[in-house]
Structure formats: C-alpha cells, structure tokens
C-alpha cells in the first residue's frame, strides 16, 4: 500500500474552512442508476401532461391510485389521511394530514404546471394564398425565433354551444399529423438576418400551417380554410364559432427523451416547471404520517405572473388552507405564520457556451443537485422574495439530514435580466418560503434539458422537507 502523503497545514485548514458543492457523478456514482430509473416515471408524466389541464388529470390519477380522496368540508380527518382538491381543472392541491394540529404550521410545496407555449387567438383560423393557418398569441416568456420550424401538437378544450366540453389532442399519437411555423430559407433571408434576434420571428409571424388542400367547390371563397374547418368538425363536432369558447394550446410535439451518450440528461418540452411538479407529487404521495400537515400545490399561470384565479396570486390557495383550518377549528393565521414553504421552481443551469450570462461562483450547475435559490428578482432584487437566513437554515438542515445533494444558485449574473416565482405570493400570506428546484439548460425553449441526478435529488429534497 502506498504511503499516504501527509497533508500540509494549509490543505487541512482549506478543507475545514472552504466549501465547494460536489459533483454527484463523482461523489455518489451509485445514484446514477437510481436517478435514471426515477426519471422513467418522470418522462411518462411529461408526455401525459403537456398542458396545465393535462397535468391536473395525470396528478388526480396518481393521487387517486395512492388513496387520496377529494377533500370534503366538515369531514373528520385523522393523521395520515390523504385528500386533494382541484381548482377549475388547472391547479390542484394535495394534503396528508399530520400528527400536529394545523395551527402549529403546515409544510407547503408549490410548483407550477403551466409552461410557455403558443395559444390560439380567439379567432385563429384563416387562409392566405391557399394555405390554412392558425393565428397564435404566445404565452409566457419565449424567444420567438426558437419556435419556427418545430413540429407542434394541438392540445386543448372546447366548450360547445350545447354546454358539452370536448378535449382536443392532435400530434401526440404515432401516425398523427403535426403542425409547424415556417421560416425563411437562408438563400432569401438577407433582410431578415438584419433583424435583432428578439425579432428573428415577430409575434404576428408565429402563424401555424394547418392545411393546404381545398374543399372541392369553385363557389367557395376560402376553400382551404373550409376544408380544415370541416376536418376539425368531422373529428370534434366543432365550428368556427366554437373557438370563442376554447382554450387551445400549441406545444412542441417532441416526446421526452434521454440526451447524451451516457443518457445523463432528460430532454423535453415543459420541464419548467413540471420537473418540480412531478417530484413534488411523488414526495407527497410517499409521505406517510408526517409530523406536520403537507400541502402540495401544483399551480397555473406562473409564467405570466401568477395571475388569474388559478394562479398563486389568487385567494384560491388561501381559501383551501382556511377550509383545512376550519376542520380543526384553529386559526388560519397561526397556521400560516408557523408554516414553511418550498417554492419549487427551476433555475438556470450554468451554460459554458454562454458563460457571460452567469457568475460562476453563484450559478447552479448540472449534476450538483437541486438548487436552493435565496432570491430571484431583477436589478436590485426587485420583485424578489429574499428568503431569511433562518429559513435557509431550516431547509438546508432538512436536506443535510437526509443526505440530499444540493447547491446554491442565483438566476444569472447581476443585471443580466431576472425573473420571479410563486415565492413572493406565498410570502404575502405570511409564510416562510424559499425557492428550490432543478437547474435547466435552455429554459423556456421548445426542448429543455435537465440532469437526471438533479431531478432525483430534488425529489429527495422534497421528501426530506416533509419530514421536518
Ligand atoms: Mn418556472
Ligand atoms: Mn418559467
């Protein structure tokens, strides 16, 4: 055996006083297989839930299977009982009752299930030069140029005049057609190339090709439009007037796949923030008899500022907590004041190709675990929930007690831009809250990438959180 070199005093002191987040692949290679296995279920969830409504349906199915029942006011619930409540088909809350009374505080884990996409305009269908198109209005922060020449699928619901609702989905089954936004060929793009990148494709150029064959009747003025409307009518029984009673979302048709020769990454649309939604849901389901009552909320409208009555800036969430408090006849204020919440959302993973956008010492990295984000916001932390040292300490202790790999990270370098999460809306309720989630490469692009090890450790962090 080789003689171990004696460490210098400086080396010893360095080990004692400095800190670096380890690479999980180096420190715990045994986790690679566990993480990969865990992500098979995650990929299935991503493929089933490409809209907030579909995520709610998938979540209800998972919760029901695990023994959760719809929450009923006035019921007598016991520690360990599991309930859920759906808000308007677009957000959902799940709870496991704890041993402590509710006014001792709840453990809240919130993720969002809406993702950037292209919504159809209220009057979307038109024909131009014998091509039928859908007009779109983008939802959330997208880089518009990324959405051209990408195969798109159609998802949504239409409420017909007779009050019945029909769900639409085209482009997901094998053999389905897909849809696409065209872009210029390089040969003719000299003028377009002069545009700024932000205008590579403009908002009114995000027009989706949906058909090109005419209905055979010379007297019809827009025969291609008529043909596409007829095909939609044949399939779904809808007419043009039904688009006014619809929510139709165009999303990338691509399925979730492994990325890399080593299959270390998951590539898919909508991982912001379904990666936290899935891991939160799994942790919720696997939590049995917790000390404190859990509230896992999968919310909508985060990408446009948590607006509307399915977003976290609505009272819907507080009303659910009030209903819980009412069950035990305790003060909802105490329940909130003593509460602790993870605002579970993704952060930007350090991208070596675009290193200027990051500050290397305070960025999150692939394969270093879930990222704890003390504050988001823009400029001088404007719009941020700046988590307290005490809150950071509680969450870090919870993760370290369970051997979770985690890292700290900011959302990019100072003054590079910024962003927000649901954290500030939870903080508004008088709850201690901090952001935690998965680092993502190409966030908000039609195809985002995350590390399987990071996904797995985020799930482990959520499980650890429900133990404290
Ligand atoms: Mn997000
Ligand atoms: Mn986002």
């Amino acid at each position: 055996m080789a003689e171990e070199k004696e460490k210098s005093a400086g080396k010893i002191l360095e080990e004692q006083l400095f800190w670096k987040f380890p690479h999980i692949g180096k420190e715990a290679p045994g986790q690679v297989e566990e993480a990969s296995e865990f992500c098979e279920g995650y990929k299935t969830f991503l493929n089933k839930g490409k809209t907030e409504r579909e995520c709610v349906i998938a979540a209800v199915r998972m919760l029901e299977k695990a023994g959760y029942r719809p929450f009923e006011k006035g019921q007598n619930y016991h520690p360990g009982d599991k309930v859920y409540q759906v808000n308007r088909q677009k957000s959902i809350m799940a709870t496991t009752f704890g041993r402590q009374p509710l006014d001792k505080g709840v453990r809240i884990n919130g993720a969002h299930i809406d993702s950037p996409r292209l919504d159809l305009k209220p009057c979307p269908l038109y024909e131009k030069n014998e091509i039928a198109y859908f007009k779109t209005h983008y939802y959330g922060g997208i880089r518009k140029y990324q959405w051209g020449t990408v195969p798109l699928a159609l998802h949504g619901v239409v409420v017909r005049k007779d009050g019945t609702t029909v769900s639409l989905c085209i482009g997901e089954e094998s053999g389905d057609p897909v849809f696409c936004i065209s872009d210029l060929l390089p040969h003719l793009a000299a003028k377009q190339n002069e545009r700024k990148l932000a205008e590579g494709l403009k908002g009114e150029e995000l027009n989706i090709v949906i058909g090109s064959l005419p209905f055979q009747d010379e007297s019809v003025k827009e025969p291609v439009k008529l043909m596409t409307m007829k095909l939609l009518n044949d399939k779904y029984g809808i007419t043009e007037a039904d688009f006014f009673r619809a929510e139709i979302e165009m999303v990338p048709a691509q399925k979730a796949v492994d990325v890399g020769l080593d299959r270390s990454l998951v590539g898919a649309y909508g991982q912001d923030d379904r990666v936290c939604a899935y891991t939160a849901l799994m942790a919720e389901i696997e939590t049995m008899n917790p000390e404190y009552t859990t509230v896992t909320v999968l919310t909508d409208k985060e990408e446009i500022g948590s607006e509307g009555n399915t977003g976290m800036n609505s009272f819907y969430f507080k009303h659910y907590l009030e209903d819980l408090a009412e069950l035990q006849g305790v003060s909802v204020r105490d329940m909130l004041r003593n509460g602790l919440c993870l605002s579970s959302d993704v952060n930007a993973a350090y991208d070596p190709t675009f290193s200027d956008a990051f500050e290397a010492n305070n960025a999150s990295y692939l394969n270093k675990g879930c990222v704890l984000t003390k504050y988001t916001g823009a400029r001088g932390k404007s719009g941020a929930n700046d988590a307290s040292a005490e809150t950071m300490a509680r969450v870090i202790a919870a993760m370290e007690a369970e051997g979770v790999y985690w890292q700290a990270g900011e959302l990019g370098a100072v003054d590079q831009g910024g962003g927000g999460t649901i954290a500030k809306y939870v903080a508004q309720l008088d709850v201690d809250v901090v952001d935690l989630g998965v680092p993502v490469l190409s966030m908000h692009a039609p195809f985002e990438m995350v590390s399987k090890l990071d996904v797995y450790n985020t799930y482990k962090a959520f499980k650890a959180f429900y133990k404290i």
Side-chain angles (χ1 to χ4, degrees):
M1 231 166 107
E3 199 184 326
E4 230 182 79
K5 259 209 177 147
E6 216 170 277
K7 279 179 187 164
S8 67
K11 197 85 197 153
I12 292 167
L13 202 57
E14 192 184 66
E15 280 177 15
Q16 286 171 348
L17 301 185
F18 284 179
W19 176 252
K20 268 205 159 58
F21 293 108
H23 187 288
I24 310 167
K26 292 177 186 165
E27 197 161 292
Q31 283 198 10
V32 169
E33 210 175 307
E34 292 164 40
S36 184
E37 211 164 286
F38 180 81
C39 284
E40 288 306 302
Y42 170 48
K43 287 189 285 179
T44 303
F45 181 80
L46 285 172
N47 292 340
K48 278 189 188 152
K50 286 200 175 179
T51 67
E52 58 283 6
R53 286 172 187 264
E54 291 171 358
C55 285
V56 166
I57 292 168
V60 167
R61 206 163 288 156
M62 288 165 67
L63 291 167
E64 284 273 352
K65 204 175 149 202
Y68 288 73
R69 293 296 169 256
F71 172 71
E72 284 176 53
K73 280 172 81 169
Q75 269 272 4
N76 196 9
Y77 292 109
H78 303 285
D81 284 352
K82 288 172 172 282
V83 297
Y84 71 91
Q85 186 170 79
V86 172
N87 172 25
R88 298 173 172 86
Q89 285 81 51
K90 296 189 201 181
S91 58
I92 183 167
M93 292 149 294
T95 288
T96 306
F97 287 95
R99 299 191 298 275
Q100 293 286 341
L102 283 159
D103 56 349
K104 295 285 182 205
V106 279
R107 298 290 173 263
I108 303 166
N109 189 359
H112 68 92
I113 48 178
D114 61 316
S115 294
R117 59 179 189 252
L118 303 174
D119 286 340
L120 292 198
K121 290 195 183 193
C123 191
L125 182 59
Y126 71 101
E127 171 178 339
K128 200 170 181 189
N129 302 97
E130 280 83 37
I131 299 176
Y133 289 98
F134 274 149
K135 266 272 168 211
T136 66
H137 195 136
Y138 65 97
Y139 170 95
I142 64 165
R143 306 190 74 191
K144 300 179 198 85
Y145 75 89
Q146 294 178 338
W147 291 69
T149 69
V150 171
L152 299 170
L154 178 154
H155 292 242
V157 295
V158 175
V159 180
R160 288 178 288 217
K161 200 171 184 174
D162 64 4
T164 56
T165 301
V166 58
S167 293
L168 279 49
C169 184
I170 305 174
E172 295 294 344
E173 295 298 318
S174 77
D176 267 9
V178 294
F179 311 95
C180 198
I181 293 164
S182 63
D183 198 357
L184 271 178
L185 60 167
H187 318 63
L188 301 181
K191 214 167 132 199
Q192 190 193 25
N193 285 342
E194 301 297 315
R195 294 183 187 178
K196 283 187 174 158
L197 188 57
E199 299 194 328
L201 282 175
K202 297 178 186 175
E204 291 296 352
E205 291 171 344
L206 298 173
N207 305 320
I208 301 174
V209 174
I210 59 162
S212 64
L213 288 176
F215 184 83
Q216 296 296 337
D217 183 338
E218 300 253 315
S219 68
V220 175
K221 250 170 93 183
E222 298 174 305
V224 182
K225 174 179 168 180
L226 183 62
M227 186 66 176
T228 51
M229 196 63 242
K230 184 187 179 303
L231 290 167
L232 282 170
N233 183 265
D234 290 346
K235 194 170 166 72
Y236 296 117
I238 58 173
T239 69
E240 191 175 18
D242 285 318
F243 286 122
F244 299 120
R245 291 182 294 263
E247 285 178 274
I248 300 174
E249 307 177 10
M250 305 300 293
V251 300
Q254 164 84 50
K255 301 276 189 216
V257 289
D258 290 343
V259 176
L261 290 169
D262 54 11
R263 297 180 175 272
S264 57
L265 311 173
V266 172
Y269 161 70
Q271 301 201 74
D272 172 9
D273 182 36
R274 290 163 194 149
V275 67
C276 294
Y278 178 74
T279 44
L281 204 52
M282 291 300 285
E284 164 65 46
I285 285 171
E286 291 171 14
T287 296
M288 305 294 170
N289 290 305
E291 181 82 9
Y292 295 94
T293 297
T294 71
V295 179
T296 303
V297 52
L298 309 184
T299 193
D300 181 30
K301 294 287 183 284
E302 192 279 339
E303 294 295 358
I304 60 166
S306 296
E307 312 292 359
N309 59 11
T310 52
M312 281 301 269
N313 197 16
S314 153
F315 285 131
Y316 87 85
F317 181 63
K318 189 172 171 233
H319 291 164
Y320 176 72
L321 299 178
E322 283 172 351
D323 286 346
L324 291 181
E326 219 165 77
L327 287 177
Q328 296 185 357
V330 299
S331 152
V332 73
R333 288 185 189 170
D334 288 339
M335 178 177 166
L336 293 166
R337 212 174 269 140
N338 295 322
L340 183 62
C341 175
L342 294 179
S343 158
S344 296
D345 207 341
V346 298
N347 200 334
Y350 184 87
D351 187 336
T353 304
F354 300 102
S355 54
D356 285 359
F358 301 87
E359 189 265 290
N361 288 338
N362 287 282
S364 60
Y365 292 81
L366 292 181
N367 293 315
K368 291 194 171 184
C370 59
V371 50
L372 187 62
T373 306
K374 187 177 186 294
Y375 51 84
T376 58
R379 302 178 303 280
K381 301 191 179 180
S382 178
N385 162 67
D386 201 344
S388 69
E390 290 83 355
T391 304
M392 294 291 282
R394 290 173 77 186
V395 173
I396 291 168
M399 292 194 286
E400 294 192 337
E402 297 294 323
V404 174
Y405 284 98
W406 68 278
Q407 56 186 318
E410 265 194 326
L411 180 61
V414 177
D415 287 342
Q416 278 292 314
T421 64
I422 62 164
K424 63 176 176 177
Y425 302 107
V426 178
Q428 195 172 276
L429 294 172
D430 193 15
V431 174
D432 285 321
V433 54
V434 63
D435 285 296
L436 187 121
V438 178
V440 178
L441 277 178
S442 308
M443 193 199 294
H444 284 207
F447 188 79
E448 303 171 312
M449 291 180 276
V450 302
S451 134
K452 292 180 179 178
L453 284 166
D454 297 340
V455 176
Y456 185 55
N457 276 276
T458 302
Y459 153 73
K460 286 175 63 146
F462 293 164
K463 285 191 77 166
F465 176 70
Y466 279 158
K467 285 188 185 170
I468 60 165

